[in-house]
Amino acid sequence: MTSLQLKRGLATALLSALLAACGGGSSNSAGTTNTGANTAISSGGSAGQALVQVAPALQYPIPDGLWSAPSGATPATGNYIYLQSDNGDYIGSGRTLLYTNADSVITTSNNGLKINAAVQGNQSWNGGFLLPSAAGSLQAGYFQNLTRTPFADPAIGGVEWSGEGRGCNQIKGWVIIDKVELTGTAISALDLRFEQHCEGGAPALHGQIHWNKADTGGQTGGPQTIPANLWQAAVSAVPASGNYMYLESRPGDYVGAGKTYTYTQSNASLKLNTQTGFLGVNVTGDQNWTGSFKGMKDMSQLAVGYYPGLSRYPFNNPVLGGLDWSGDGRGCNNLNGWFAVDKISYSGATLTAVDLRFEQYCDGSTVPLRGQLHWVANDTTTPPGPQIPVPANLWKPADSFVPPAGNFIYLVSDSGDYIGGGRTQLLTPANTSFTSISNLTAAWRIGAGGWWGNFVGMNSLSQLKPGYYADLQRYPFHNPVRGGMDWSGNGRGCNKLTGWFVVDNVSYALGELTSIDLRFEQHCEGNVPAMRGMIHWAK
């Protein structure tokens, strides 16, 4: 029996070689090429006859009838990844998706017998395809009974396609490599098909990859011409001069909370930063905001134009660019939108001026958040200092209060005020110790009787000055342009507060605060009852 099988095997091999020499036989020809040394088998011939180049039979023959992308579903030229998901397939969600160089970044790589493929577009995907160890090298062929790549038996091989937050725990599938070309040891061209079934289910995800390293066409060159009908802030809504960031939100917009905000260098800190093809905007004011504007992937600097079809940065399609505006504790999980650069200038790599506007829709909402930025590097506007003269109607102790000699802290708490508990206290060195931290920049800290007070001036000051510091928030989460304050202690403090303080007198020696007369008022959590105080301290 063994002899018969051997004879049959020899006869089959001889017949295959004869058919191959005549141009017939199996259609499964080798699809592996190494540009360093092309592999071919030459048939013998008499002198003067042309040599016939015969490709060897595939080690893993490709059967007819296995899935491939439908005719006309893929581009005739150029790189692409085509995905076709059955209804009930968890990974592809029953969708058909096509990615090309015009709308996505498609990459492949290889390491030993493993091929990796990735898509970064409006969705992001990753594929891993592992050939069986007996293959020895990357080659064309049909590889079946595969399991999930990272955990696959090396003797059998693996397949996995995942992305968009979805992946299989267990996989069964196959991979067909119709063609693979290597330059040295790196893939330079690939045609691959696959099928995978997730968690033992019948619905399949199919995919087809065509990739050639030499194909770099189809990428978007830069921004478009700005359409005439794009949103722009009303002239009356924005300052006539100086740097500003204007935000316009409508009820239903989560990020802007339906409010309108205007920030200038008089009421907020406006900081811009640039990277390759990127502009970042940071607004630190009564609210804190962060904006991100990313151009197309090959841009080194943003340019004048319209950037449409954007998703959330940094999870955006790199071919199109990205956008994100968030802050005040709110941001989008997903967004779509656009930005337009009306003017921009650089000195070398340094941004010197920009006019930009944007529109974003958060998590499928139909209500937009819009914004407009005007910024020039040479705007020298600085915040005003404390108000002089001090408003006459601000709180002072009642006329019946007689200040003691020496240092003191006099506290008056309204009924309903959480911090002071509705009490009145007079603290002096006779009944408690005082701790002063006096070497701070435009700030002072005082402690006594289990209480601590923090009083911080505008970030444009180097020392506290006499005057009225208004519209303050809780230190250290305050608007640095206005200053901040906080009075807390004895187990009680505000999460949020509004308030003011007045410096009636202050003196410094060698940069250190040596004496101060100060009044304050704070309201905790937006409540009406107030905590008020008067402080006299001298070193």
Side-chain angles (χ1 to χ4, degrees), residues 271-284:
K271 300 292 185 183
L272 276 60
N273 66 87
T274 58
Q275 299 173 28
T276 302
F278 173 85
L279 173 65
V281 180
N282 291 282
V283 178
T284 306

Side-chain angles (χ1 to χ4, degrees), residues 130-154:
L130 178 67
L131 274 60
S133 54
S137 62
L138 295 181
Q139 57 189 275
Y142 169 56
F143 308 93
Q144 59 183 315
N145 300 321
L146 307 182
T147 55
R148 183 179 169 200
T149 297
F151 311 102
D153 182 347

Side-chain angles (χ1 to χ4, degrees), residues 5 87 194 226 260 416 441 446 488:
Q5 289 175 336
N87 287 330
F194 70 87
I226 300 175
T260 298
T441 301
I446 181 72
S488 59

Side-chain angles (χ1 to χ4, degrees), residues 43-51:
S43 64
S46 59
Q49 290 182 323
L51 291 178

Side-chain angles (χ1 to χ4, degrees), residues 381-398:
T381 303
T382 57
Q387 182 179 333
I388 294 290
V390 174
N393 61 345
L394 294 180
W395 175 84
K396 292 180 179 180

Side-chain angles (χ1 to χ4, degrees), residues 188-225:
S188 54
L190 177 68
D191 282 290
L192 180 149
R193 295 176 273 154
F194 70 87
E195 175 179 297
Q196 74 174 28
H197 297 262
C198 210
E199 322 304 351
L205 172 66
H206 295 102
Q208 185 164 308
I209 301 171
H210 172 76
W211 182 84
N212 192 305
K213 183 179 181 180
D215 180 14
T216 58
Q219 298 291 347
T220 303
Q224 302 175 18
T225 301

Side-chain angles (χ1 to χ4, degrees), residues 245-325:
M245 184 71 227
Y246 172 79
L247 298 174
E248 184 178 286
S249 172
R250 294 288 182 265
D253 165 51
Y254 171 66
V255 175
K259 300 177 183 178
T260 298
Y261 309 85
T262 303
Y263 302 94
T264 70
Q265 291 183 181
S266 295
N267 62 19
S269 170
L270 307 178
K271 300 292 185 183
L272 276 60
N273 66 87
T274 58
Q275 299 173 28
T276 302
F278 173 85
L279 173 65
V281 180
N282 291 282
V283 178
T284 306
D286 291 344
Q287 300 79 29
N288 296 334
W289 302 100
T290 299
S292 299
F293 305 93
K294 184 72 169 75
M296 294 78 177
K297 73 179 186 70
D298 293 326
M299 298 185 71
S300 60
Q301 296 178 336
L302 292 183
V304 170
Y306 173 52
Y307 301 73
L310 305 182
S311 53
R312 179 185 165 203
Y313 176 86
F315 310 104
N316 56 283
N317 183 338
V319 173
L320 302 178
L323 161 70
D324 182 59
W325 190 272

Side-chain angles (χ1 to χ4, degrees), residues 244 340-344 353-357 372-376:
Y244 66 80
V341 178
D342 294 293
K343 295 179 182 178
I344 194 163
V354 62
D355 283 283
L356 178 148
R357 47 198 161 116
Q372 186 163 306
L373 168 70
H374 170 76
W375 182 88
V376 294

